Amino acid sequence: MNRLFGKGKDKAPPPDLGACISNVDKRAEDMDKKAAQCEGELRKIREQMKKMRDGPAKNALKQKALRILQRKKMFDNQSDSFRSQSFNMEQATMALQTAKDTQVVVAGMKAGVKEMKKEFKKIDDLQDELADVLEISEDVQEALGRSYNIPDVDEDELEAELDALGDEIALDDDTSYLDEAVHAPNAPDKEPSRPGAVRNTDGVPVDEFGLPQVPAT
């Protein structure tokens, strides 16, 4: 393809405004130097004209001074033009730099907003995960508290068993049997005397409790 149509020319690099400003400033300085030379020549001519009498020679010197003055004005105008160009390019450079700085700031702000969105997304995801974990925890707690293989029981049977249990509790609360033990006679602290012992209907001696007495050996 390059052989048929030829290789395209490389694009020239964009102009360097800094170099252009330096070049224009140098040209303005050259114009100022030339204008200063003209100023020096004019001073010499004026000094010469002061010493000369009016006549063709003075008139010729005067014409020369006018041409030098014209050149000086041209150099001054060129210098002013170059100075204006330099000033405009400096303003353009400042505007360009400001635009670049603005782009950097905007890019930084965009990156910051992007990072903030990422962080907020992480927070939202974390909240969603936390909600899922809490839901799973509730399911687990519900599963752990669930009863399995419990037979179905008739409520009427349960109530009947409850009533019967109440009756048993009431019987357990009856302490009347303790009254007999509390009011029972005390055991004798000495052996009863045998003389005059009481006998039962069969004639067998009995003790004070009505029990047969054991004969002494």
Side-chain angles (χ1 to χ4, degrees), residues 67-91:
R67 290 194 296 271
I68 294 173
L69 181 60
Q70 187 177 5
R71 290 178 58 196
K72 179 180 179 300
K73 289 184 177 294
M74 181 186 66
F75 294 144
D76 289 337
N77 291 334
Q78 287 292 328
S79 177
D80 293 339
S81 177
F82 289 143
R83 299 293 182 189
S84 296
Q85 292 178 16
S86 177
F87 178 74
N88 292 334
M89 284 188 291
E90 286 179 354
Q91 283 189 323

Side-chain angles (χ1 to χ4, degrees), residues 6-41:
K7 186 178 180 181
K9 295 182 179 179
D10 296 334
K11 293 183 179 181
D16 185 0
L17 289 179
C20 291
I21 293 172
S22 298
N23 188 23
V24 171
D25 288 339
K26 186 176 182 302
R27 295 179 66 182
E29 291 175 358
D30 292 340
M31 294 297 104
D32 291 338
K33 290 179 180 179
K34 291 180 179 181
Q37 291 177 357
C38 292
E39 181 69 24
E41 292 178 2

Side-chain angles (χ1 to χ4, degrees), residues 93-212:
T93 301
M94 293 176 61
L96 180 60
Q97 187 61 42
T98 301
K100 290 181 179 179
D101 294 340
T102 302
Q103 290 180 353
V104 172
V105 173
V106 171
M109 293 177 66
K110 286 183 178 179
V113 171
K114 188 176 181 180
E115 290 298 325
M116 290 176 65
K117 288 182 178 180
K118 288 182 179 179
E119 295 300 325
F120 288 149
K121 183 65 170 57
K122 291 180 181 179
I123 295 174
D124 292 338
D125 294 341
L126 181 60
Q127 290 179 345
D128 294 338
E129 292 179 1
L130 181 59
D132 294 339
V133 170
L134 292 177
E135 184 177 357
I136 293 173
S137 177
E138 291 178 357
D139 293 340
V140 171
Q141 294 296 328
E142 182 179 356
L144 292 176
R146 188 178 304 166
S147 300
Y148 299 93
N149 298 326
I150 298 178
D152 295 334
V153 180
D154 189 0
E155 292 184 0
D156 295 336
E157 294 180 0
L158 291 177
E159 292 181 358
E161 292 183 6
L162 182 61
D163 293 338
L165 180 63
D167 295 338
E168 293 178 0
I169 294 174
L171 292 175
D172 291 339
D173 292 339
D174 186 8
T175 59
S176 60
Y177 65 92
L178 297 177
D179 295 339
E180 296 179 358
V182 173
H183 296 86
N186 296 329
D189 55 355
K190 62 182 180 178
E191 184 180 358
S193 60
R194 292 185 178 273
V198 181
R199 298 177 180 274
N200 57 13
T201 58
D202 295 331
V204 178
V206 296
D207 58 13
E208 58 184 352
F209 300 110
L211 298 176

